[in-house]
Amino acid sequence: MSTQARNRGLLPLLLVRARAHRVEPITTRLVASISHENAAYDTSGVVPDQDLWRSCHDNVERVLDMLVLAVLPDGSLASVEDMEPLFDAARATGRRRAEQGLPLDDVLRSYRIGGRLIWEDLVAYADPQLDPESFRDLGVWLWASVDKSSAEVARHYRATEQRLLRADAQRMAALWEGLLGGRAREQAFAQEASRAMDLPAESPLLLLLARESTPDEAALAVDPVVRPLGLTTAWQARAGGDVIGLLALPEGTDHRSLVAALGRLTGLDGGVSGLCHRLADVDRAFEQARMAAEGLEEGAGVLSYDERLVPALLLSSPQIARQLVDHWLGPLLALPPTEGVELLDTLDAWVATGGSTSRAAAALPCHRNTVLNRLTRVSALLGHRLADEPPPMGLALALHARTIGLG
């Protein structure tokens, strides 16, 4: 038998011997090297020492198992199917590091360090030394095993990461729905929501309801307003294309100036609540923002609840609002559309100008006598002499209710 053939026969022996005696020493070196070369493990503190040691041990053991299996008695390589059970350590590591939150790049870097140390150990303890062809084969098999192990780590890391993201999204959605439903009056729930959303449980808050937006778009739109004030914000998408944003105000912040600044934003439509003072009041703030945004047309901007108290009042009692419309506007709504719309427009202008027929005529526009004639017609239909007195409050409310779709 030639010297080369005898040396080639040493490779299986070397691998079996390494599998039996070198796992522990390689593991010890690998743990030390990761701590020295891969600072994320030390600085993050998310991987316990015992966890790191066990993971290194199991993965070194599995890579050596793959190398032993790779050299079949007939000199051929084992199939991929034969290797599948040996990736259990890599898969477990990928899942566990994702759960711990260690960046994937740092996990994969540790596998490269491990591959290098296994190679150095095999070369150092090969006795006698292997021939060049055996060294080449060993390198090919080793790095193929490390690469495949790394791929399994990455695959299971990403799958676990996606599962955790879905679970976190579901948890956040549940917390938001609990907030909007009033559960934050329970102290334990308020504290949980506070921690998860990074918002103070007791703090001045505004709730912004943005229509036809996404959390990223809404956050970007309000950033020029909230960033200089040092506000903490949290955002959540809801069904139907709405986005909810909570703005936590530092003590002493002038919330009226903030609301006014939000109202000047372009590219964002919705409503903003009045000021509330704790997470336990968010459900009421949500209703206020919803009422402020009710019936908005595209391009209306952000309207505040405090400025829309009349529509909010009507929306909070829709049955009464409809009765107001029936009482004050029913006879006009029963007219043929052309005449009814003309009279309703005249009423809108007259009420909006505080009962001034001259300013109503300028707003429409038409002659002042035309306004007087139409008011006389409306007075006859409604049984009220409108032109002789300021606009009745009931009429003004009825016109508001019709504007927001309650009549």
Side-chain angles (χ1 to χ4, degrees):
M1 180 181 294
S2 67
T3 302
Q4 182 177 2
R6 285 198 303 272
N7 285 342
R8 291 278 292 164
L10 293 174
L11 182 53
L13 182 60
L14 169 64
L15 295 175
V16 170
R17 189 167 62 234
R19 172 62 181 83
H21 303 292
R22 300 305 303 167
V23 173
E24 300 284 336
I26 296 173
T27 297
T28 300
R29 285 190 61 204
L30 179 55
V31 169
S33 295
I34 289 174
S35 299
H36 177 69
E37 300 180 39
N38 203 345
Y41 280 81
D42 276 342
T43 57
S44 68
V46 298
V47 181
D49 292 343
Q50 184 59 34
D51 184 350
L52 177 59
W53 191 93
R54 173 50 57 187
S55 177
C56 290
H57 178 278
D58 292 350
N59 281 279
V60 168
E61 191 173 62
R62 284 311 192 206
V63 169
L64 291 174
D65 284 338
M66 293 176 206
L67 293 178
V68 170
L69 184 61
V71 185
L72 298 178
D74 61 2
S76 63
L77 298 180
S79 66
V80 174
E81 290 75 14
D82 293 333
M83 296 288 186
E84 280 301 312
L86 301 181
F87 295 113
D88 55 347
R91 291 162 181 158
T93 299
R95 290 191 293 268
R96 198 159 60 252
R97 297 295 176 261
E99 291 168 350
Q100 293 164 336
L102 190 74
L104 178 58
D105 285 347
D106 292 302
V107 183
L108 297 179
R109 185 181 178 197
S110 295
Y111 271 76
R112 293 192 294 273
I113 295 172
R116 186 192 76 217
L117 293 182
I118 292 173
W119 170 256
E120 291 174 354
D121 194 89
L122 291 173
V123 170
Y125 286 90
D127 185 21
Q129 288 294 307
L130 301 175
D131 62 276
E133 188 174 354
S134 295
F135 269 123
R136 184 203 64 195
D137 290 344
L138 177 59
V140 169
W141 299 338
L142 172 61
W143 288 109
S145 300
V146 172
D147 286 347
K148 177 61 176 171
S149 297
S150 297
E152 289 298 302
V153 168
R155 185 165 69 89
H156 283 262
Y157 183 103
R158 293 189 180 103
T160 301
E161 187 176 47
Q162 288 301 312
R163 174 178 58 80
L164 293 173
L165 286 173
R166 287 193 297 270
D168 187 58
Q170 291 169 354
R171 174 173 174 259
M172 289 301 295
L175 286 173
W176 274 96
E177 290 306 310
L179 274 181
L180 301 182
R183 281 198 61 198
R185 292 185 181 85
E186 305 168 16
Q187 186 175 5
F189 183 91
Q191 292 299 326
E192 181 184 4
S194 173
R195 287 191 299 270
M197 299 177 185
D198 196 23
L199 292 172
E202 304 283 337
S203 171
L205 295 163
L206 291 173
L207 187 143
L208 175 66
L209 171 62
R211 299 291 196 196
E212 302 297 325
S213 186
T214 68
D216 287 344
E217 290 169 349
L220 185 63
V222 305
D223 183 67
V225 173
V226 303
R227 186 179 65 252
L229 299 175
L231 271 65
T232 303
T233 63
W235 301 91
Q236 177 70 17
R238 304 193 79 235
D242 292 345
V243 170
I244 301 293
L246 280 176
L247 315 180
L249 284 59
E251 290 293 340
T253 302
D254 181 358
H255 82 278
R256 292 181 178 84
S257 297
L258 173 59
V259 169
L262 292 173
R264 292 191 293 269
L265 292 173
T266 58
L268 191 68
D269 297 330
V272 61
S273 71
L275 190 67
C276 65
H277 296 277
R278 52 183 186 153
L279 288 180
D281 298 329
V282 164
D283 59 326
R284 287 193 283 266
F286 173 56
E287 287 303 311
Q288 293 175 1
R290 186 184 61 78
M291 290 179 183
E294 192 75 28
L296 288 186
E297 296 181 358
E298 185 176 352
V302 177
L303 303 184
S304 75
Y305 173 77
D306 291 338
E307 294 175 349
R308 300 199 78 205
L309 289 175
V310 170
L313 175 66
L314 295 169
L315 287 166
S316 66
S317 302
Q319 184 177 357
I320 295 176
R322 292 188 183 96
Q323 289 174 340
L324 279 169
V325 172
D326 289 342
H327 175 75
W328 284 100
L329 305 180
L332 303 184
L333 296 173
L335 293 173
T338 301
E339 183 182 4
V341 168
E342 184 177 77
L343 295 179
L344 286 167
D345 288 346
T346 301
L347 276 181
D348 276 329
W350 181 65
V351 170
T353 56
S356 169
T357 53
S358 298
R359 284 185 290 164
L364 284 169
C366 65
H367 195 276
R368 178 176 177 273
N369 287 340
T370 302
V371 174
L372 286 170
N373 290 336
R374 291 175 184 173
L375 288 177
T376 299
R377 168 73 169 141
V378 171
S379 295
L381 289 168
L382 301 183
H384 294 277
R385 292 185 58 80
L386 298 180
D388 296 338
E389 57 187 25
M393 178 64 69
L395 175 60
L397 290 174
L399 289 168
H400 267 297
R402 176 177 165 270
T403 300
I404 59 177
L406 290 177

